[in-house]
Amino acid sequence: MRPPPGCSPPRRGGKVQLLFPHAAKKRSARLMDVPAPSPTQCVLGVTIALPEPWATRVRGVRVAVGDPHGNAIPPHVTLLPPTAVEKTALNAVAAHVIRVAARSVPFTLRVAGVGTFRPVSPVVFLGVAEGGPAIDALQQDLRAADGPLNRDLRFPFHPHVTLAHEVDDAALDQAARAGQDIAATFVVDRIHLQRLAPDGSWAALATPALGAAVHPGGTADPLA
């Protein structure tokens, strides 16, 4: 049985833990597929940003092993994977994310321990060693059935910070070795609603603080 999301680090006995040890014969798939939006849609995501100095260290690992996303994607923990929404719903989505943040409170997050999604997906990552239940509550609230971001996940939710993605096995092994010396502990006090740009980078739309007061009915234009 898999442990609750983020409740224990994925590194065991000094080795990289395989989260899917029985999937060797399955076809490799990307962990987070980016949807192809229609002309009336855009792609959004919600994340927890990894602060400095750890962000620079993780970015350095990704770039050093040739990860094609190393410079384009800031190091983060994903709360909502890339999701296509109608552009006309952007204000409603932003207001929803602000309300979710307001219902939450700041918490301590510790990121440490190297894991991998191989062979299902060519990813090596840092796991969440503390703060997993708070992260899980946030991601469930964001995808609530009565909200504008309701969706199913392709894979079970497993919070992490990517160290390498879409590189060969030798590069993944290199990233895993480099990640063994990275451990970050910090207070999460806000989340980030982001929009995917045509060049593959992500632009911030809103960064609501956790536990911040929201006026009844929210703001008329949360993106203004």
Side-chain angles (χ1 to χ4, degrees):
M1 180 179 295
R2 186 176 302 169
C7 291
S8 60
R11 186 182 175 191
R12 294 179 179 174
K15 298 181 180 180
V16 175
Q17 179 187 353
L18 296 176
L19 291 186
F20 305 102
H22 305 299
K25 295 183 180 180
K26 291 186 178 180
R27 188 177 182 179
S28 176
R30 293 183 180 180
L31 179 65
M32 287 197 307
D33 290 323
V34 176
S38 72
T40 64
Q41 294 178 321
C42 61
V43 176
L44 304 179
V46 182
T47 65
I48 295 169
L50 184 69
E52 297 294 352
W54 306 288
T56 293
R57 294 188 64 186
V58 168
R59 185 180 291 108
V61 172
R62 296 190 71 165
V63 171
V65 301
D67 186 324
H69 309 292
N71 281 319
I73 302 178
H76 64 278
V77 175
T78 296
L79 294 172
L80 178 81
T83 301
V85 302
E86 293 295 324
K87 295 175 184 177
T88 55
L90 280 176
N91 281 336
V93 168
H96 170 67
V97 173
I98 290 169
R99 288 193 297 270
V100 169
R103 290 193 292 265
S104 305
V105 295
F107 62 93
T108 298
L109 175 58
R110 178 171 171 78
V111 177
V114 177
T116 182
F117 292 121
R118 288 184 285 181
V120 172
S121 187
V123 177
V124 165
F125 60 84
L126 294 174
V128 170
E130 181 182 350
I135 292 176
D136 193 44
L138 275 171
Q139 68 91 17
Q140 290 192 51
D141 205 3
L142 287 166
R143 296 187 299 106
D146 59 350
L149 293 175
N150 177 241
R151 57 161 291 177
D152 293 326
L153 299 179
R154 181 175 178 185
F155 295 97
F157 182 72
H158 189 93
H160 64 279
V161 174
T162 298
L163 286 169
H165 186 198
E166 296 183 2
V167 293
D168 61 28
D169 281 339
L172 291 172
D173 291 340
Q174 180 184 343
R177 290 191 295 269
Q180 290 175 359
D181 295 327
I182 301 177
T185 302
F186 57 97
V187 174
V188 177
D189 60 3
R190 64 186 57 248
I191 58 179
H192 300 258
L193 172 64
Q194 298 174 306
R195 180 175 178 173
L196 182 64
D199 64 359
S201 63
W202 291 84
L205 293 182
T207 55
L210 302 187
V214 176
H215 296 295
T219 58
D221 187 355
L223 297 180

